[in-house]
Amino acid sequence: MIAKAVHLLLAVTWTAVIYYDFFVLKYPHGPADKLANLMWRFRFLTVWNMLLQCIYFYLSVGSDLCGKETGGEKGEKCWMLRARDTLFTAVVYPLGTFIPVAFWTLFSIDRELVYPKILDGVIPLWLNHFVHTFIGIFVLLELMIVRHEYPHIVKGLVQVAAFDAFYLSWTFWLRYSTNQWVYPVFGRLSPMGIVQFVSVCLIVSFLVYGFGRLLHHLRWARTREKRN
């Protein structure tokens, strides 16, 4: 019951936050055209995370309604449950944990690398913390109240690497097509520095995945043993 309430609450909350960010906020450097402005926001990993978190929690609401099994082969999980588990283990938890770690680490070193001071007058403090701080709490809470099926660790790391590679490809394509970096930190680095920075980010994302996997095992191992 608690998990169902949390899923519904966060699904609705993320919807409201996304609406506020997309249609209420006016970014100073964004395109004037509304459609172009919406597409411009998709440069940022935070925006990807917002949408993925929202999709995940709506998917969780649906999986809460569909039950644990389909009407087919005995023991077969509802497709929503399978999709929910894959999305959470491969993207939602790793991304929801990586963003607070990376954002606040860079912010503490030099905020201009990731969140220029000019944004203080544009983005409310509550929204900044919601998308850069509270997301870590949300995914940790989800991990603790809902048991997910993790794939084999190699498959899981491949899934994480695939998402990382996709977003990095998007970032470098934007640099090539617009001659601008999405994040100022890249503009401060040499080519070798960028390679090293990206490598560290990839390592951190793998460590985050492994840590989440370990936490999940510690939280749910006894429950699994009792069911067996």
Side-chain angles (χ1 to χ4, degrees):
M1 181 62 71
I2 294 177
K4 293 179 180 179
V6 169
H7 291 159
L8 181 59
L9 175 62
L10 287 177
V12 173
T13 303
W14 274 115
T15 301
V17 169
I18 290 171
Y19 177 84
Y20 181 85
D21 185 83
F22 278 37
F23 300 104
V24 178
L25 284 186
K26 304 298 182 183
Y27 287 90
H29 302 300
D33 180 75
K34 290 184 177 181
L35 180 59
N37 189 277
L38 287 177
M39 298 306 297
W40 174 81
R41 298 181 192 220
F42 279 89
R43 304 183 308 160
F44 302 106
L45 186 61
T46 300
V47 172
W48 285 43
N49 181 62
M50 290 166 59
L51 294 172
L52 287 168
Q53 295 280 340
C54 188
I55 291 170
Y56 171 78
F57 283 110
Y58 273 112
L59 189 60
S60 295
V61 171
S63 66
D64 291 337
L65 296 175
C66 84
K68 296 183 179 300
E69 297 181 357
T70 65
E73 186 177 339
K74 186 177 181 180
E76 182 182 357
K77 296 182 71 174
C78 168
W79 71 268
M80 283 190 177
L81 285 170
R82 296 195 299 271
R84 181 202 69 182
D85 288 349
T86 299
L87 187 58
F88 181 80
T89 59
V91 181
V92 169
Y93 178 83
L95 191 57
T97 306
F98 173 83
I99 286 179
V101 171
F103 177 85
W104 291 111
T105 298
L106 290 173
F107 189 96
S108 65
I109 295 173
D110 181 358
R111 65 171 300 170
E112 297 298 319
L113 296 175
V114 66
Y115 193 81
K117 191 172 180 60
I118 189 176
L119 293 179
D120 286 346
V122 179
I123 301 176
L125 183 62
W126 68 264
L127 180 59
N128 181 25
H129 280 292
F130 195 93
V131 300
H132 292 128
T133 307
F134 297 157
I135 52 170
I137 299 174
F138 296 154
V139 295
L140 180 59
L141 174 64
E142 172 70 6
L143 184 144
M144 300 302 291
I145 64 176
V146 177
R147 186 171 71 88
H148 298 84
E149 292 295 334
Y150 269 79
H152 187 277
I153 189 168
V154 174
K155 182 179 180 180
L157 289 173
V158 168
Q159 291 173 338
V160 173
F163 178 84
D164 291 348
F166 186 81
Y167 181 75
L168 284 170
S169 298
W170 172 243
T171 299
F172 286 113
W173 182 83
L174 287 173
R175 172 66 176 86
Y176 172 78
S177 61
T178 66
N179 200 34
Q180 290 183 334
W181 286 109
V182 175
Y183 298 104
V185 61
F186 285 99
R188 302 276 191 92
L189 300 173
S190 65
M192 181 55 65
I194 291 175
V195 171
Q196 294 172 341
F197 178 75
V198 169
S199 298
V200 170
C201 288
L202 290 174
I203 292 172
V204 171
S205 70
F206 292 153
L207 290 175
V208 163
Y209 172 81
F211 183 66
R213 188 183 182 98
L214 176 62
L215 279 180
H216 185 272
H217 174 75
L218 294 175
R219 169 64 180 88
W220 296 103
R222 292 184 179 180
T223 303
R224 188 177 294 108
E225 290 175 358
K226 289 180 180 178
R227 290 184 177 181
N228 295 335

